[in-house]
């Protein structure tokens, strides 16, 4: 099996599940994640929006909707979705992803603020959680280096 075959199988299974239970928010959420992962941002937007309509109190849906909107080049609505997720839950991932999006759109000072909030929340995690999240550590390091470069350039 190749990665695209796994994604196709996941979409197929999830769409079958959605057919059987069209009001189950987690199916829409997972379809959104698969489409986001495969770069199908319009489809990801559709499923994250449906997930939010079915379960508006799940903060991760707003964070992934924000990532999707940023990739669809809708920066203002992406920021709104991040702020909604953050207002619902102070999670380190919300702040890291928001900081990356802000940095990518030239909002360096706001990115630095949210990166600082990310670091505060990240240090509150237990050591095991921190060590096993390699992608978060890599993204954090890349953002920190980018912010340091921005400091040197100004």
């Amino acid at each position: 099996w190749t990665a695209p075959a796994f994604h196709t199988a996941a979409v197929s299974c999830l769409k079958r599940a959605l057919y059987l239970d069209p009001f189950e928010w987690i199916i829409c959420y997972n379809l959104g994640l698969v489409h986001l992962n495969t770069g199908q941002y319009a489809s990801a937007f559709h499923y994250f929006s449906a997930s939010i309509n079915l379960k508006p109190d799940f903060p991760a849906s707003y964070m992934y909707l924000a990532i999707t909107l940023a990739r669809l080049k809708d920066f203002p609505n992406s920021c709104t979705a991040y702020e909604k997720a953050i207002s619902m839950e102070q999670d380190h991932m919300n702040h890291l992803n928001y900081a990356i999006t802000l940095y990518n759109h030239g909002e360096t000072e706001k990115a630095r603020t949210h990166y600082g909030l990310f670091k505060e929340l990240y240090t509150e995690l237990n050591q095991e959680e921190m060590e096993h999240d390699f992608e978060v550590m890599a993204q954090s390091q890349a953002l920190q280096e980018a912010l340091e470069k921005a400091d040197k350039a100004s």
Side-chain angles (χ1 to χ4, degrees), residues 10-66:
V11 168
S12 177
C13 289
L14 287 166
K15 284 193 175 179
R16 174 78 174 150
L18 190 61
Y19 172 78
L20 295 172
D21 193 353
F23 299 109
E24 185 57 54
W25 70 273
I26 195 73
I27 299 168
C28 292
Y29 175 76
N30 285 321
L31 276 163
L33 289 174
V34 172
H35 287 297
L36 178 60
N37 193 314
T38 59
Q40 297 172 325
Y41 304 126
S43 293
F45 171 80
H46 169 78
Y47 287 110
F48 286 131
S49 295
S51 175
I52 288 167
N53 284 328
L54 293 168
K55 186 168 176 64
D57 61 345
F58 189 64
S61 293
Y62 291 94
M63 181 189 71
Y64 286 114
L65 177 63

Side-chain angles (χ1 to χ4, degrees), residues 95-136:
H95 289 287
L96 178 61
N97 285 309
Y98 194 15
I100 291 168
T101 298
L102 289 165
Y103 178 81
N104 287 338
H105 287 85
E107 302 263 348
T108 309
E109 287 310 309
K110 284 177 80 173
R112 189 172 283 108
T113 299
H114 282 280
Y115 183 64
L117 292 168
F118 156 77
K119 289 196 307 190
E120 285 176 29
L121 292 168
Y122 192 67
T123 58
E124 293 173 7
L125 298 176
N126 69 46
Q127 194 64 33
E128 188 175 320
E129 286 178 307
M130 293 169 77
E131 290 172 356
H132 287 84
D133 215 342
F134 301 113
E135 188 174 340
V136 171

